[in-house]
Amino acid sequence: MGFKRAWSATGVVALTGALLLTSAPTASADYIRDRQWVIDVINFEKVWAESQGEGVTVAVVDSGVDGSHPDLTGQVLKGKDVTGSGDAQMDTDGHGTGMASLIAGHGHGANNAAGVMGLAPKVKILPVKAAVADDYDDDQWAKGIRYAVDQGADVINLSFTDPLASPGSEGAKAIEYAQQHDVVVVAGTGNDGIEHLPYPAKLPGVVAVGAVDESLKIWENSNYGRGVTVVAPGVKIVGADPSRSNKYAEADGTSDATAYVSATAALVRAKYPDLTAGQVINRLIKSATFLDREVKEVPDEEYGYGLIRPYSALTMDIPKGPKQGPLAQAAPSTSTTSGAASDGNSTSQAKKKKSSSGNIFFVAGIAAVVVVVGIAIAVIRSRRNGGSGGPGSGGGTPPAGTGYPPQPSGYQQYAQTPPSHGYPTPPEQDPQYPNPYAPQPPHQGQ
């Protein structure tokens, strides 16, 4: 054991008519649809004009996915149960089906106006059942990842944390296998509200996702720290849940945020099939926004590189950048923290450990050489910084004081677009109106 869902256990509630009729707008076409505040905030309709994820497969490594749910019919492939307990489409827990619905739900009924609508409704879901009642280990989800890769998954969604995993574990090796086969791997940062990134989000090259609430501020229970990549909505999220009597539930958690980022990656892969997984991640990062947040250093320990903007990720003029992308180049000192864009090469923790015996003068000599080389590099960079990259160059060094890390050659600087680009300016939280988006007209479906 050791697996932990990135859904907040205390934040999952069944959605019944009695619960929702007290809060849903009277103009509601469907009370489940009206609870999906993310639809209006991200503006799904505008995003779908650019991409709906057609031709892309997202593997959901989780508790299984119920392909018979009315909001997922026709979207779920056969998949595999790596636990050996049964069918990948048997989901008695409901978590995996919920994640799949946020990614590829298409609703149901007239004009698909009822039920859950996912961000990438034409994506195919590959269900990989790697847990039975939260009971599975590193070996199981590692097998699930390898299976997903071999089946041609373009994106792998990991909405869980595993405190027993490690850099040299089977899970870490499986993620490396996925990255070697050009797969985008996305994982949640966890729901403990502490400065700690767990595995698998902590591993190099993984898109580590935190959660924001309805005001688009960091959720109080979202784990934070060095290595957060981006954030996405993760509070009061309605998803499909076959374990509930009416097949739906509302939950809080970085699980849900992870699903939205996986869906965004799928949308980008569908529109730009020539991009590598690393270049897809580059678009996610370069199109993200901090809105009006004051961030001193990027990546920020709470927001990472910012809040995802699916429409901007699809439409912004962003150079491809290196094939490996900005996350796969984790420096040796950060190889176990996922992370920030870096110029170094990925090295496992085991390889970094050396015997403490040796000549201390030899070590001191190396340190002196490093200092001299560092000074030389600083001088060279200082000279290079004297010139401007010019408009549209995509290169150059950020102005002093911005806190942005130096980017590899060919990388565009992070967009400093107005807060209204892609998201409405988040209103101040008013205690009389806990949901700032409640006054918005209800979504009427496709």
Side-chain angles (χ1 to χ4, degrees):
M1 281 180 43
F3 166 79
K4 187 176 181 182
R5 295 182 307 181
W7 242 359
S8 172
T10 59
V12 182
V13 296
L15 289 181
T16 64
L19 170 69
L20 292 170
L21 287 176
T22 62
S23 57
T26 56
S28 169
D30 174 72
Y31 69 81
I32 296 296
R33 182 64 56 82
D34 285 334
R35 297 288 289 193
Q36 297 168 67
W37 61 271
V38 181
I39 289 176
D40 294 315
V41 172
I42 288 182
N43 196 341
F44 281 19
E45 295 279 1
K46 187 175 181 181
V47 170
W48 293 337
E50 300 295 331
S51 174
Q52 295 188 42
E54 191 168 9
V56 172
T57 298
V58 176
V60 176
V61 180
D62 213 293
S63 60
V65 176
D66 184 357
S68 67
H69 192 285
D71 297 340
L72 285 168
T73 54
Q75 299 303 107
V76 183
L77 304 174
K78 182 178 180 180
K80 184 176 182 177
D81 180 352
V82 296
T83 70
S85 64
D87 187 350
Q89 295 201 22
M90 289 291 293
D91 182 15
T92 57
D93 181 85
H95 189 263
T97 303
M99 300 306 99
S101 70
L102 300 182
I103 296 168
H106 52 51
H108 66 273
N111 298 318
N112 290 332
V116 173
M117 186 60 75
L119 180 55
K122 291 189 177 179
V123 153
K124 292 295 184 182
I125 296 293
L126 178 68
V128 182
K129 189 170 185 175
V132 178
D134 284 1
D135 184 7
Y136 69 113
D137 56 26
D138 177 86
D139 288 343
Q140 287 180 181
W141 59 263
K143 290 179 183 177
I145 288 174
R146 290 181 181 274
Y147 166 79
V149 173
D150 293 342
Q151 294 298 305
D154 302 289
V155 179
I156 296 179
N157 185 87
L158 306 176
S159 287
F160 61 84
T161 65
D162 187 348
L164 299 183
S166 64
S169 66
E170 289 303 311
K173 293 176 184 177
I175 286 177
E176 185 178 358
Y177 178 74
Q179 293 166 342
Q180 290 171 348
H181 287 78
D182 197 40
V183 181
V184 178
V185 181
V186 188
T189 62
N191 308 322
D192 303 304
I194 59 176
E195 187 176 0
H196 169 70
L197 259 63
Y199 295 100
K202 190 175 184 178
L203 292 165
V206 174
V207 181
V209 183
V212 296
D213 60 22
E214 292 167 292
S215 66
L216 305 182
K217 294 180 180 179
I218 198 72
W219 178 45
E220 62 182 359
N221 291 330
S222 182
N223 285 8
Y224 60 94
R226 185 176 183 181
V228 176
T229 308
V230 291
V231 294
V235 175
K236 294 184 180 180
I237 305 299
V238 177
D241 187 344
S243 72
R244 306 286 177 169
S245 60
N246 76 332
K247 309 299 182 184
Y248 297 96
E250 180 183 274
D252 303 332
T254 58
S255 277
D256 308 283
T258 300
Y260 281 127
V261 173
S262 291
T264 304
L267 294 171
V268 173
R269 299 219 84 164
K271 182 171 181 179
Y272 301 100
D274 60 319
L275 295 185
T276 65
Q279 290 167 339
V280 170
I281 295 171
N282 181 49
R283 290 194 75 88
L284 299 183
I285 287 176
K286 296 298 172 24
S287 60
T289 179
F290 291 108
L291 295 172
D292 59 350
R293 312 282 179 253
E294 292 186 5
V295 176
K296 295 181 179 179
E297 186 176 6
V298 178
D300 180 70
E301 290 195 349
E302 290 185 329
Y303 293 92
Y305 292 93
L307 176 67
I308 60 162
R309 292 190 298 176
Y311 181 76
S312 296
L314 293 168
T315 59
M316 283 181 65
D317 182 12
I318 300 173
K320 291 182 179 180
K323 291 183 178 180
Q324 67 270 31
L327 299 185
Q329 305 176 68
S333 62
T334 62
S335 64
T336 62
T337 59
S338 168
S342 171
D343 294 326
N345 295 319
S346 176
T347 305
S348 70
Q349 185 71 12
K351 289 181 180 179
K352 289 192 294 176
K353 291 183 178 180
K354 301 285 186 179
S355 170
S356 59
S357 62
N359 190 318
I360 191 168
F361 295 105
F362 176 70
V363 174
I366 292 177
V369 172
V370 170
V371 170
V372 172
V373 172
I375 293 173
I377 291 175
V379 172
I380 294 172
R381 286 182 175 175
S382 176
R383 291 175 179 174
R384 288 180 177 174
N385 291 347
S388 170
S393 66
T397 301
T402 62
Y404 286 90
Q407 296 297 315
S409 176
Y411 270 84
Q412 175 182 353
Q413 298 306 326
Y414 296 90
Q416 298 296 310
T417 53
S420 61
H421 188 186
Y423 279 98
T425 301
E428 290 298 320
Q429 193 79 0
D430 187 331
Q432 295 182 347
Y433 301 97
N435 181 355
Y437 300 102
Q440 294 185 352
H443 182 78
Q444 299 299 325
Q446 281 185 282

